[in-house]
Amino acid sequence: MAYSDFTLLELKEQFGVTDTIRPLFAELPAVEPGNLLLEQLKRALRLPLRNEKAKSELIVSPVLLELIDRNTNFFTFYSGENLPADRSRGLTGECDFFICRNTGSFAINMPILAVIEANRDNLEVGVDQCAA
């Protein structure tokens, strides 16, 4: 079973997952994007971003690279990697992006932060998959 096959209700029943809608990082001040990121996004928005792959490559990746630069390479990110969290319970599949602490190794390290892309401009579409 892939992550995308789970619903939030199934995750609640099988794994005890809870969901609460609340502001994330509300107490943190806004941060202005750097000039390189602004230029990359400006160039990307001139292109036909017709699918999720194009949006990932041209919008999400530059944002994640900016975060890495601003955090002295404390973390790294992986794109399109298989993440078999628990095969016996069906938690396996390919992730668009996930972030881990950078240890200088090719190995995927814990803890992992998943990144949800707004699918078809609707963030809620990806919540079930990301929760899994």
Side-chain angles (χ1 to χ4, degrees):
M1 221 167 139
Y3 297 116
S4 59
D5 294 335
F6 284 92
T7 66
L8 202 49
L9 181 60
E10 290 170 328
L11 292 168
K12 288 177 181 182
E13 292 171 355
Q14 293 179 36
F15 301 98
V17 170
T18 59
D19 67 317
T20 305
I21 299 172
R22 64 178 181 220
L24 185 61
F25 308 122
E27 70 282 357
L28 296 177
V31 177
E32 293 297 319
N35 290 333
L36 178 59
L37 177 59
L38 289 172
E39 182 60 31
Q40 288 173 317
L41 294 175
K42 180 179 167 185
R43 293 170 67 197
L45 293 175
R46 292 193 308 246
L47 299 170
L49 302 175
R50 295 168 29 108
N51 57 53
E52 298 307 311
K53 184 174 185 302
K55 291 175 187 174
S56 291
E57 293 172 350
L58 298 169
I59 296 177
V60 178
S61 289
V63 169
L64 293 175
L65 289 169
E66 170 101 352
L67 290 173
I68 288 171
D69 286 347
R70 287 178 178 241
N71 290 281
T72 60
N73 295 314
F74 177 75
F75 61 87
T76 189
F77 74 90
Y78 296 88
S79 174
E81 292 277 346
N82 187 39
L83 185 63
D86 189 339
R87 288 185 199 277
S88 66
R89 297 176 82 182
L91 293 173
T92 186
E94 185 178 295
C95 297
D96 292 333
F97 293 96
F98 55 89
I99 298 171
C100 304
R101 190 172 66 116
N102 186 3
T103 61
S105 168
F106 286 110
I108 296 169
N109 299 289
M110 298 290 185
I112 293 175
L113 171 70
V115 177
I116 301 174
E117 294 176 53
N119 295 324
R120 292 168 202 72
D121 301 322
N122 182 352
L123 185 61
E124 292 179 15
V125 171
V127 170
D128 296 352
Q129 180 177 356
C130 190

mmCIF file of all heavy atoms in Angstrom, residues 73-106:
data_model
loop_
_atom_site.group_PDB
_atom_site.id
_atom_site.type_symbol
_atom_site.label_atom_id
_atom_site.label_comp_id
_atom_site.label_asym_id
_atom_site.label_seq_id
_atom_site.Cartn_x
_atom_site.Cartn_y
_atom_site.Cartn_z
ATOM 1 N N ASN A 73 23.443 24.721 6.168
ATOM 2 C CA ASN A 73 23.452 23.313 5.778
ATOM 3 C C ASN A 73 23.166 22.370 6.940
ATOM 4 O O ASN A 73 23.646 21.241 6.966
ATOM 5 C CB ASN A 73 24.770 22.950 5.095
ATOM 6 C CG ASN A 73 24.931 23.700 3.793
ATOM 7 O OD1 ASN A 73 23.999 23.775 3.000
ATOM 8 N ND2 ASN A 73 26.100 24.268 3.571
ATOM 9 N N PHE A 74 22.371 22.816 7.909
ATOM 10 C CA PHE A 74 22.007 21.972 9.052
ATOM 11 C C PHE A 74 21.180 20.769 8.600
ATOM 12 O O PHE A 74 21.247 19.698 9.181
ATOM 13 C CB PHE A 74 21.221 22.786 10.079
ATOM 14 C CG PHE A 74 20.754 21.981 11.253
ATOM 15 C CD1 PHE A 74 21.645 21.591 12.241
ATOM 16 C CD2 PHE A 74 19.427 21.593 11.366
ATOM 17 C CE1 PHE A 74 21.219 20.834 13.327
ATOM 18 C CE2 PHE A 74 19.001 20.832 12.447
ATOM 19 C CZ PHE A 74 19.903 20.455 13.427
ATOM 20 N N PHE A 75 20.382 20.967 7.557
ATOM 21 C CA PHE A 75 19.577 19.856 7.061
ATOM 22 C C PHE A 75 19.785 19.707 5.567
ATOM 23 O O PHE A 75 20.431 20.515 4.915
ATOM 24 C CB PHE A 75 18.099 20.029 7.409
ATOM 25 C CG PHE A 75 17.455 21.259 6.824
ATOM 26 C CD1 PHE A 75 16.908 21.233 5.555
ATOM 27 C CD2 PHE A 75 17.370 22.431 7.547
ATOM 28 C CE1 PHE A 75 16.312 22.346 5.014
ATOM 29 C CE2 PHE A 75 16.771 23.561 7.024
ATOM 30 C CZ PHE A 75 16.238 23.511 5.748
ATOM 31 N N THR A 76 19.227 18.629 5.041
ATOM 32 C CA THR A 76 19.251 18.373 3.615
ATOM 33 C C THR A 76 17.857 17.921 3.218
ATOM 34 O O THR A 76 17.009 17.684 4.071
ATOM 35 C CB THR A 76 20.311 17.310 3.245
ATOM 36 O OG1 THR A 76 20.438 17.246 1.823
ATOM 37 C CG2 THR A 76 19.956 15.945 3.795
ATOM 38 N N PHE A 77 17.605 17.831 1.918
ATOM 39 C CA PHE A 77 16.302 17.313 1.502
ATOM 40 C C PHE A 77 16.475 16.271 0.419
ATOM 41 O O PHE A 77 17.482 16.227 -0.279
ATOM 42 C CB PHE A 77 15.338 18.430 1.093
ATOM 43 C CG PHE A 77 15.614 19.074 -0.247
ATOM 44 C CD1 PHE A 77 15.048 18.574 -1.410
ATOM 45 C CD2 PHE A 77 16.398 20.208 -0.329
ATOM 46 C CE1 PHE A 77 15.285 19.185 -2.630
ATOM 47 C CE2 PHE A 77 16.641 20.829 -1.543
ATOM 48 C CZ PHE A 77 16.085 20.306 -2.703
ATOM 49 N N TYR A 78 15.491 15.407 0.356
ATOM 50 C CA TYR A 78 15.465 14.335 -0.633
ATOM 51 C C TYR A 78 14.211 14.516 -1.478
ATOM 52 O O TYR A 78 13.162 14.918 -0.973
ATOM 53 C CB TYR A 78 15.429 12.974 0.058
ATOM 54 C CG TYR A 78 16.668 12.693 0.877
ATOM 55 C CD1 TYR A 78 16.734 13.098 2.210
ATOM 56 C CD2 TYR A 78 17.759 12.055 0.318
ATOM 57 C CE1 TYR A 78 17.865 12.857 2.963
ATOM 58 C CE2 TYR A 78 18.903 11.817 1.072
ATOM 59 C CZ TYR A 78 18.941 12.222 2.392
ATOM 60 O OH TYR A 78 20.067 11.987 3.137
ATOM 61 N N SER A 79 14.315 14.189 -2.751
ATOM 62 C CA SER A 79 13.198 14.333 -3.672
ATOM 63 C C SER A 79 13.009 13.033 -4.437
ATOM 64 O O SER A 79 13.966 12.470 -4.972
ATOM 65 C CB SER A 79 13.496 15.474 -4.651
ATOM 66 O OG SER A 79 12.501 15.546 -5.635
ATOM 67 N N GLY A 80 11.767 12.559 -4.461
ATOM 68 C CA GLY A 80 11.452 11.365 -5.231
ATOM 69 C C GLY A 80 12.036 10.083 -4.678
ATOM 70 O O GLY A 80 12.234 9.121 -5.406
ATOM 71 N N GLU A 81 12.301 10.049 -3.393
ATOM 72 C CA GLU A 81 12.897 8.867 -2.753
ATOM 73 C C GLU A 81 11.819 7.947 -2.195
ATOM 74 O O GLU A 81 10.773 8.403 -1.736
ATOM 75 C CB GLU A 81 13.798 9.290 -1.588
ATOM 76 C CG GLU A 81 15.045 10.021 -2.002
ATOM 77 C CD GLU A 81 16.172 9.095 -2.420
ATOM 78 O OE1 GLU A 81 16.101 7.880 -2.151
ATOM 79 O OE2 GLU A 81 17.116 9.607 -3.017
ATOM 80 N N ASN A 82 12.112 6.660 -2.220
ATOM 81 C CA ASN A 82 11.232 5.695 -1.571
ATOM 82 C C ASN A 82 11.506 5.747 -0.075
ATOM 83 O O ASN A 82 12.651 5.750 0.356
ATOM 84 C CB ASN A 82 11.494 4.290 -2.116
ATOM 85 C CG ASN A 82 10.485 3.293 -1.605
ATOM 86 O OD1 ASN A 82 9.303 3.590 -1.491
ATOM 87 N ND2 ASN A 82 10.940 2.110 -1.293
ATOM 88 N N LEU A 83 10.444 5.787 0.705
ATOM 89 C CA LEU A 83 10.571 5.844 2.153
ATOM 90 C C LEU A 83 9.729 4.722 2.766
ATOM 91 O O LEU A 83 8.539 4.894 3.025
ATOM 92 C CB LEU A 83 10.110 7.204 2.687
ATOM 93 C CG LEU A 83 10.298 7.429 4.179
ATOM 94 C CD1 LEU A 83 11.774 7.395 4.558
ATOM 95 C CD2 LEU A 83 9.678 8.749 4.592
ATOM 96 N N PRO A 84 10.345 3.550 2.993
ATOM 97 C CA PRO A 84 9.602 2.432 3.584
ATOM 98 C C PRO A 84 9.559 2.558 5.106
ATOM 99 O O PRO A 84 10.376 1.984 5.814
ATOM 100 C CB PRO A 84 10.408 1.214 3.143
ATOM 101 C CG PRO A 84 11.815 1.729 3.004
ATOM 102 C CD PRO A 84 11.700 3.182 2.608
ATOM 103 N N ALA A 85 8.611 3.318 5.617
ATOM 104 C CA ALA A 85 8.526 3.565 7.061
ATOM 105 C C ALA A 85 8.185 2.294 7.828
ATOM 106 O O ALA A 85 8.786 2.011 8.860
ATOM 107 C CB ALA A 85 7.496 4.653 7.341
ATOM 108 N N ASP A 86 7.228 1.533 7.324
ATOM 109 C CA ASP A 86 6.825 0.281 7.986
ATOM 110 C C ASP A 86 6.086 -0.579 6.963
ATOM 111 O O ASP A 86 4.863 -0.499 6.839
ATOM 112 C CB ASP A 86 5.934 0.580 9.198
ATOM 113 C CG ASP A 86 5.670 -0.660 10.054
ATOM 114 O OD1 ASP A 86 5.823 -1.789 9.547
ATOM 115 O OD2 ASP A 86 5.311 -0.487 11.223
ATOM 116 N N ARG A 87 6.833 -1.396 6.241
ATOM 117 C CA ARG A 87 6.250 -2.220 5.175
ATOM 118 C C ARG A 87 5.141 -3.133 5.698
ATOM 119 O O ARG A 87 4.131 -3.338 5.040
ATOM 120 C CB ARG A 87 7.326 -3.073 4.513
ATOM 121 C CG ARG A 87 8.268 -2.308 3.648
ATOM 122 C CD ARG A 87 9.231 -3.291 2.949
ATOM 123 N NE ARG A 87 10.412 -2.635 2.454
ATOM 124 C CZ ARG A 87 10.482 -1.990 1.312
ATOM 125 N NH1 ARG A 87 9.436 -1.926 0.537
ATOM 126 N NH2 ARG A 87 11.611 -1.427 0.933
ATOM 127 N N SER A 88 5.317 -3.698 6.903
ATOM 128 C CA SER A 88 4.350 -4.651 7.435
ATOM 129 C C SER A 88 2.973 -4.012 7.662
ATOM 130 O O SER A 88 1.969 -4.699 7.657
ATOM 131 C CB SER A 88 4.861 -5.266 8.745
ATOM 132 O OG SER A 88 4.935 -4.278 9.755
ATOM 133 N N ARG A 89 2.948 -2.692 7.833
ATOM 134 C CA ARG A 89 1.680 -1.996 8.062
ATOM 135 C C ARG A 89 1.249 -1.182 6.844
ATOM 136 O O ARG A 89 0.309 -0.403 6.924
ATOM 137 C CB ARG A 89 1.803 -1.105 9.290
ATOM 138 C CG ARG A 89 2.072 -1.951 10.555
ATOM 139 C CD ARG A 89 2.292 -1.128 11.763
ATOM 140 N NE ARG A 89 0.998 -0.718 12.326
ATOM 141 C CZ ARG A 89 0.892 0.060 13.384
ATOM 142 N NH1 ARG A 89 1.972 0.508 13.994
ATOM 143 N NH2 ARG A 89 -0.286 0.404 13.844
ATOM 144 N N GLY A 90 1.943 -1.370 5.736
ATOM 145 C CA GLY A 90 1.563 -0.707 4.502
ATOM 146 C C GLY A 90 2.118 0.681 4.317
ATOM 147 O O GLY A 90 1.759 1.366 3.368
ATOM 148 N N LEU A 91 2.989 1.118 5.199
ATOM 149 C CA LEU A 91 3.545 2.471 5.099
ATOM 150 C C LEU A 91 4.819 2.451 4.263
ATOM 151 O O LEU A 91 5.926 2.298 4.773
ATOM 152 C CB LEU A 91 3.827 3.040 6.488
ATOM 153 C CG LEU A 91 2.605 3.317 7.341
ATOM 154 C CD1 LEU A 91 3.025 3.718 8.747
ATOM 155 C CD2 LEU A 91 1.734 4.391 6.715
ATOM 156 N N THR A 92 4.637 2.597 2.983
ATOM 157 C CA THR A 92 5.762 2.624 2.063
ATOM 158 C C THR A 92 5.354 3.410 0.823
ATOM 159 O O THR A 92 4.175 3.528 0.519
ATOM 160 C CB THR A 92 6.224 1.201 1.690
ATOM 161 O OG1 THR A 92 7.406 1.281 0.907
ATOM 162 C CG2 THR A 92 5.153 0.445 0.935
ATOM 163 N N GLY A 93 6.318 3.947 0.160
ATOM 164 C CA GLY A 93 6.013 4.673 -1.067
ATOM 165 C C GLY A 93 7.028 5.762 -1.324
ATOM 166 O O GLY A 93 7.949 6.000 -0.546
ATOM 167 N N GLU A 94 6.841 6.403 -2.439
ATOM 168 C CA GLU A 94 7.736 7.480 -2.858
ATOM 169 C C GLU A 94 7.202 8.808 -2.348
ATOM 170 O O GLU A 94 6.004 9.071 -2.406
ATOM 171 C CB GLU A 94 7.811 7.510 -4.383
ATOM 172 C CG GLU A 94 8.795 8.511 -4.921
ATOM 173 C CD GLU A 94 8.885 8.478 -6.429
ATOM 174 O OE1 GLU A 94 9.315 7.451 -6.973
ATOM 175 O OE2 GLU A 94 8.505 9.482 -7.060
ATOM 176 N N CYS A 95 8.113 9.635 -1.845
ATOM 177 C CA CYS A 95 7.745 10.952 -1.322
ATOM 178 C C CYS A 95 8.207 12.037 -2.286
ATOM 179 O O CYS A 95 9.293 11.937 -2.859
ATOM 180 C CB CYS A 95 8.402 11.192 0.036
ATOM 181 S SG CYS A 95 7.868 10.032 1.297
ATOM 182 N N ASP A 96 7.386 13.066 -2.433
ATOM 183 C CA ASP A 96 7.812 14.196 -3.262
ATOM 184 C C ASP A 96 9.056 14.830 -2.660
ATOM 185 O O ASP A 96 10.062 14.993 -3.331
ATOM 186 C CB ASP A 96 6.701 15.240 -3.373
ATOM 187 C CG ASP A 96 5.509 14.738 -4.162
ATOM 188 O OD1 ASP A 96 5.686 13.862 -5.020
ATOM 189 O OD2 ASP A 96 4.393 15.225 -3.909
ATOM 190 N N PHE A 97 8.983 15.196 -1.391
ATOM 191 C CA PHE A 97 10.113 15.786 -0.677
ATOM 192 C C PHE A 97 10.044 15.398 0.781
ATOM 193 O O PHE A 97 8.966 15.292 1.345
ATOM 194 C CB PHE A 97 10.074 17.325 -0.723
ATOM 195 C CG PHE A 97 10.284 17.912 -2.078
ATOM 196 C CD1 PHE A 97 9.207 18.256 -2.859
ATOM 197 C CD2 PHE A 97 11.563 18.119 -2.562
ATOM 198 C CE1 PHE A 97 9.384 18.812 -4.107
ATOM 199 C CE2 PHE A 97 11.767 18.672 -3.806
ATOM 200 C CZ PHE A 97 10.670 19.018 -4.591
ATOM 201 N N PHE A 98 11.199 15.208 1.393
ATOM 202 C CA PHE A 98 11.276 15.175 2.844
ATOM 203 C C PHE A 98 12.620 15.723 3.267
ATOM 204 O O PHE A 98 13.593 15.703 2.517
ATOM 205 C CB PHE A 98 10.956 13.816 3.467
ATOM 206 C CG PHE A 98 11.764 12.659 2.963
ATOM 207 C CD1 PHE A 98 12.964 12.326 3.545
ATOM 208 C CD2 PHE A 98 11.288 11.878 1.930
ATOM 209 C CE1 PHE A 98 13.693 11.251 3.094
ATOM 210 C CE2 PHE A 98 12.015 10.795 1.470
ATOM 211 C CZ PHE A 98 13.219 10.480 2.054
ATOM 212 N N ILE A 99 12.633 16.271 4.459
ATOM 213 C CA ILE A 99 13.795 16.968 5.002
ATOM 214 C C ILE A 99 14.342 16.165 6.172
ATOM 215 O O ILE A 99 13.585 15.687 7.006
ATOM 216 C CB ILE A 99 13.403 18.382 5.466
ATOM 217 C CG1 ILE A 99 12.912 19.205 4.275
ATOM 218 C CG2 ILE A 99 14.561 19.080 6.166
ATOM 219 C CD1 ILE A 99 12.294 20.528 4.667
ATOM 220 N N CYS A 100 15.671 16.043 6.232
ATOM 221 C CA CYS A 100 16.345 15.347 7.332
ATOM 222 C C CYS A 100 17.534 16.185 7.783
ATOM 223 O O CYS A 100 18.019 17.045 7.060
ATOM 224 C CB CYS A 100 16.904 14.002 6.879
ATOM 225 S SG CYS A 100 15.731 12.887 6.164
ATOM 226 N N ARG A 101 18.020 15.865 8.960
ATOM 227 C CA ARG A 101 19.245 16.502 9.431
ATOM 228 C C ARG A 101 20.394 16.105 8.517
ATOM 229 O O ARG A 101 20.498 14.950 8.095
ATOM 230 C CB ARG A 101 19.542 16.071 10.863
ATOM 231 C CG ARG A 101 20.653 16.876 11.504
ATOM 232 C CD ARG A 101 20.749 16.537 12.965
ATOM 233 N NE ARG A 101 21.162 15.161 13.143
ATOM 234 C CZ ARG A 101 22.302 14.799 13.711
ATOM 235 N NH1 ARG A 101 23.107 15.702 14.197
ATOM 236 N NH2 ARG A 101 22.616 13.538 13.830
ATOM 237 N N ASN A 102 21.249 17.028 8.179
ATOM 238 C CA ASN A 102 22.386 16.754 7.306
ATOM 239 C C ASN A 102 23.537 16.207 8.135
ATOM 240 O O ASN A 102 24.087 16.895 8.981
ATOM 241 C CB ASN A 102 22.821 18.035 6.594
ATOM 242 C CG ASN A 102 23.905 17.782 5.566
ATOM 243 O OD1 ASN A 102 24.303 16.644 5.336
ATOM 244 N ND2 ASN A 102 24.358 18.839 4.943
ATOM 245 N N THR A 103 23.883 14.943 7.898
ATOM 246 C CA THR A 103 24.994 14.319 8.616
ATOM 247 C C THR A 103 26.200 14.107 7.709
ATOM 248 O O THR A 103 27.182 13.503 8.123
ATOM 249 C CB THR A 103 24.569 12.966 9.206
ATOM 250 O OG1 THR A 103 24.187 12.099 8.135
ATOM 251 C CG2 THR A 103 23.436 13.130 10.195
ATOM 252 N N GLY A 104 26.098 14.577 6.464
ATOM 253 C CA GLY A 104 27.196 14.380 5.526
ATOM 254 C C GLY A 104 27.214 12.982 4.931
ATOM 255 O O GLY A 104 28.192 12.585 4.305
ATOM 256 N N SER A 105 26.148 12.247 5.106
ATOM 257 C CA SER A 105 26.048 10.878 4.613
ATOM 258 C C SER A 105 24.987 10.814 3.524
ATOM 259 O O SER A 105 24.101 11.657 3.450
ATOM 260 C CB SER A 105 25.656 9.949 5.773
ATOM 261 O OG SER A 105 25.282 8.687 5.301
ATOM 262 N N PHE A 106 25.057 9.779 2.697
ATOM 263 C CA PHE A 106 24.003 9.564 1.711
ATOM 264 C C PHE A 106 22.779 8.915 2.337
ATOM 265 O O PHE A 106 21.708 8.904 1.761
ATOM 266 C CB PHE A 106 24.501 8.682 0.557
ATOM 267 C CG PHE A 106 25.423 9.401 -0.380
ATOM 268 C CD1 PHE A 106 26.757 9.079 -0.421
ATOM 269 C CD2 PHE A 106 24.948 10.397 -1.204
ATOM 270 C CE1 PHE A 106 27.613 9.736 -1.283
ATOM 271 C CE2 PHE A 106 25.786 11.067 -2.067
ATOM 272 C CZ PHE A 106 27.124 10.739 -2.108
#
